[in-house]
Amino acid sequence: MADDGDGRLRTEGNSGGGRGGGGAEEPPVGGGMLLIAGLLALGLLAAYRLYLRWGTRSGPGGAARQSQAAALPRMKRRDFSLEQLREFDGTRNPRILLAVNGKVFDVTKGSKFYGPEGPYGIFAGRDASRGLATFCLDKDALRDEYDDLSDLNAVQMESVREWEMQFKEKYDYVGRLLKPGEEPSEYTDEEDTKDHTKQE
């Protein structure tokens, strides 16, 4: 260490660049790496969001599916068995339905998310409750038989209810998911119109 003449001390390897010496101090190597990793993660997240927004739209058949979905008339109210629901997966039928907490929603206008190439396409034509409750996008989260969700904990059931509310706000409710042996309700045109008007 040496006195540089004005009362400040400097080390041999640092000619005035230390604190109070007028120069900027270099960040430690670990901090710089953390900053770079954080920026890289943000960049990847932004790229993924752009892909979700635009990539699936322009994918093979994406634009055609979007316009076909927009041309579909509003679906009349009815109830569905699991087998009937599976017909509406966006491949066999252009309309896409899914069930959450025993309620069936028409998510056709969200085909970029729920269509065959969409990130949540696995839920199309299925009961999505368990997958949404457990944040799992694997086939393991889907049941081929009616799922009463009785083994989910309180936090997971609350998550299912929150998802149900989000779907109610954004998509058309078209009916109930029937339990095995349960008979479908008969909806009148008046009920159907009243409920659709209430959602708009």
Side-chain angles (χ1 to χ4, degrees):
M1 278 200 206
D3 186 349
D4 64 2
D6 63 350
R8 282 186 259 159
L9 296 177
R10 63 176 172 80
T11 58
E12 292 299 318
N14 185 5
S15 57
R19 288 185 194 171
E25 192 173 276
E26 290 184 32
V29 174
M33 294 300 284
L34 218 75
L35 178 64
I36 291 170
L39 290 173
L40 183 62
L42 283 174
L44 288 172
L45 178 64
Y48 179 69
R49 287 182 157 254
L50 284 172
Y51 168 75
L52 288 181
R53 186 173 187 103
W54 304 108
T56 53
R57 272 190 198 165
S58 57
R65 196 172 0 273
Q66 289 279 334
S67 63
Q68 189 178 27
L72 290 172
R74 183 171 280 201
M75 189 171 203
K76 285 195 166 282
R77 180 69 51 90
R78 62 175 268 209
D79 296 336
F80 298 84
S81 67
L82 278 172
E83 293 75 30
Q84 292 168 329
L85 185 62
R86 286 196 188 106
E87 295 172 25
F88 298 94
D89 63 358
T91 57
R92 296 176 249 188
N93 186 316
R95 194 177 300 274
I96 303 170
L97 304 180
L98 63 79
V100 179
N101 203 22
K103 294 175 181 61
V104 179
F105 297 94
D106 184 344
V107 297
T108 308
K109 68 182 180 183
S111 63
K112 67 180 178 182
F113 298 108
Y114 302 103
E117 293 96 24
Y120 305 110
I122 193 167
F123 296 143
R126 306 292 300 253
D127 180 0
S129 304
R130 181 172 296 275
L132 293 170
T134 59
F135 303 105
C136 182
L137 297 176
D138 296 334
K139 278 219 183 267
D140 299 342
L142 303 173
R143 302 273 170 97
D144 288 328
E145 68 282 342
Y146 184 83
D147 189 358
D148 65 6
L149 308 174
S150 60
D151 61 323
L152 296 182
N153 63 38
V155 173
Q156 291 168 330
M157 281 308 298
E158 182 58 31
S159 179
V160 170
R161 286 188 284 275
E162 287 174 15
W163 278 106
E164 177 190 341
M165 294 308 296
Q166 288 182 30
F167 278 92
K168 271 185 183 175
E169 290 174 15
K170 192 167 186 179
Y171 299 108
D172 288 335
Y173 166 72
V174 293
R176 296 179 303 125
L177 181 63
L178 298 170
K179 297 174 184 171
E182 189 177 13
E183 292 295 317
S185 301
E186 290 193 29
Y187 297 98
T188 64
D189 287 340
E190 184 180 307
E191 277 180 300
D192 193 42
T193 305
K194 183 177 85 174
D195 286 339
H196 282 313
T197 306
K198 194 189 301 181
Q199 283 185 346
E200 291 176 349

